[in-house]
Amino acid sequence: MPAKWAELLRARSDRRLMGPVRSQVRLRPRWLPWAAAVVVAAGLGVVFGRWAFVAPQVEETTNVPATVTVAQMTVGRSLPVAVSAVWDAQPFGVGAAVGVLTSVDVADGATVSVGDRLYTVDLRPVIAAVGTVPAFRDLSQGMKGEDVAQLQRFLVDAGYLKGRADGDFGAATTVAVRAWQRILDVERDGVVRAGGIVFASALPARVQVADGFDVGTRVADGDAVLSVLDAQPAFIATVPSGFSVDATLPIEVTFDGETVTTVVAGSRDDQSGNRILTLTRQDGSSVCADRCDLVPLDEAAAVFDARQVLAPEVTGPGVPAAAVWFEAGGEAYVVLPDGTKTPVTILGQGQGSVVLDGIEVGAVVVLADQAAKAGTGTGS
């Protein structure tokens, strides 16, 4: 038998004698990890259980009442009021010109004097003069009347006519009219046409163009193209229906940076049930005094800040109203942080605060409800 085969047989024989080969690695039991986890959990439970069931340590705090520092302040009570200015306007005479309004030569709010050119109709100028009789006819030599006398007074004041106005349109008046017509750059025929002059009751006067008249508008006999404004506007306070204002108390109006104290000079109700109060200064003069030219003609723009003072403003040491307590007899006091009660006098109040006499600015006082909690006050 070849040596190779003999060697294989010996190896097989040795394996039978030795028995099965056993592994040298020992297997770890499967229950071991679970046992370890149980042990760890039990330990943690003991630690955290002790922490959870130990009562926390609570620090004892002192009940310190809330305080406030006395400060300089101004208090008072007022009611806002809607105040506007209204310009009353009257017709600037009655015109007799007929035609198309070709120009308007005065601006709204302008002051018109005797001899000023107001507007043109069919390019012919219309001049301002003073008189109570409207221009109703053309005036020429040989005519007489009050309207002639008004024309003569105008010519005398303008320097065209010498003498006095006697109401008789003579040769001297004709010469004066022609001199005037030369200045106006119209035909010098000595005839004053009714449509060329408008008589106003008084001049100078502030005017505005009447509603409905613009360049291009057709003008008819009797139309008043301009309106004369009153020398001063009326200041009115409007109180809506359902609201009330004490008409015996003053109303402060802010005009041109000035606070004007006004009184109610009259009242009426409008068609909507609103109460309309007319205001003047305390001496009866206009709110705008000598500055009425600053008041817009448009009522929507002539609106002013105003208020009615219900409690006059007072300035001094002040605190919130909650810091003031009262004795049974009505005497006011404040409480200092150490519990001391300091008597005070209320000088004014408003907006939830009071101004006091008897306490200094910078002092610290206890709020009334906190004083009660601390047992330092007996206020009501």
Side-chain angles (χ1 to χ4, degrees):
M1 178 179 298
K4 184 177 182 180
W5 290 105
E7 192 173 307
L8 290 173
L9 289 174
R10 282 196 302 270
R12 183 179 297 176
S13 175
D14 292 340
R15 193 177 295 120
R16 290 194 187 100
L17 292 175
M18 293 176 63
V21 180
R22 296 181 180 274
S23 173
Q24 298 300 314
V25 180
R26 298 183 63 181
L27 296 176
R28 184 169 58 187
R30 294 183 178 180
W31 52 267
L32 186 57
W34 292 101
V38 171
V39 172
V40 173
L44 293 174
V46 171
V47 174
F48 287 101
R50 174 178 171 80
W51 171 79
F53 290 101
V54 173
Q57 298 296 319
V58 180
E59 293 186 6
E60 294 185 3
T61 59
T62 304
N63 184 18
V64 179
T67 59
V68 65
T69 301
V70 179
Q72 187 82 354
M73 63 176 61
T74 299
V75 298
R77 290 188 298 128
S78 61
L79 178 70
V81 181
V83 172
S84 60
V86 179
W87 288 95
D88 192 16
Q90 304 295 331
F92 186 96
V94 177
V98 177
V100 175
L101 187 64
T102 47
S103 71
V104 176
D105 301 308
V106 292
D108 284 345
T111 299
V112 170
S113 299
V114 174
D116 286 350
R117 177 167 143 168
L118 303 175
Y119 50 89
T120 63
V121 176
D122 292 343
L123 300 178
R124 190 175 185 90
V126 178
I127 307 302
V130 175
T132 56
V133 179
F136 65 95
R137 59 178 178 169
D138 295 347
L139 300 179
S140 58
Q141 189 167 336
M143 302 182 72
K144 297 180 180 181
E146 179 56 31
D147 53 344
V148 174
Q150 291 178 168
L151 172 63
Q152 290 174 325
R153 283 192 288 270
F154 163 71
L155 294 172
V156 170
D157 293 340
Y160 297 109
L161 180 64
K162 303 296 183 181
R164 63 184 185 85
D166 57 5
D168 186 355
F169 200 129
T173 302
T174 301
V175 172
V177 169
R178 287 175 176 169
W180 174 45
Q181 289 175 330
R182 182 175 65 253
I183 300 300
L184 295 179
D185 196 23
V186 297
E187 61 270 27
R188 289 174 288 172
D189 56 6
V191 177
V192 178
R193 290 160 180 78
I197 192 167
V198 173
F199 292 104
S201 58
L203 291 176
R206 292 186 73 200
V207 300
Q208 68 177 0
V209 179
D211 292 340
F213 288 96
D214 298 300
V215 173
T217 303
R218 178 161 290 278
V219 179
D221 187 3
D223 283 344
V225 176
L226 300 178
S227 297
V228 178
L229 301 173
D230 282 352
Q232 299 168 330
F235 281 76
I236 61 172
T238 303
V239 183
S241 176
F243 292 83
S244 62
V245 168
D246 189 344
T248 64
L249 295 178
I251 295 177
E252 295 182 348
V253 180
T254 301
F255 175 75
D256 191 30
E258 174 192 0
T259 299
V260 180
T261 300
T262 68
V263 295
V264 177
S267 65
R268 61 181 176 83
D269 292 334
D270 64 10
Q271 295 179 346
S272 300
N274 300 321
R275 193 72 170 169
I276 308 300
L277 307 178
T278 302
L279 307 179
T280 67
R281 290 178 181 254
Q282 292 175 310
D283 61 0
S285 62
S286 174
V287 175
C288 54
D290 58 352
R291 293 168 289 168
C292 294
D293 57 319
L294 300 178
V295 179
L297 299 182
D298 183 4
E299 184 176 348
V303 178
F304 303 90
D305 292 333
R307 63 175 186 166
Q308 185 172 60
V309 178
L310 304 178
E313 288 187 345
V314 178
T315 300
V319 295
V324 179
W325 272 47
F326 298 90
E327 300 283 8
E331 300 85 358
Y333 66 91
V334 294
V335 179
L336 303 183
D338 62 1
T340 303
K341 297 197 307 185
T342 301
V344 294
T345 301
I346 298 176
L347 302 179
Q349 59 183 325
Q351 300 85 47
S353 300
V354 292
V355 168
L356 305 173
D357 182 30
I359 194 75
E360 298 293 332
V361 172
V364 177
V365 299
V366 179
L367 291 177
D369 56 346
Q370 297 294 328
K373 293 177 183 178
T376 59
T378 60
S380 56

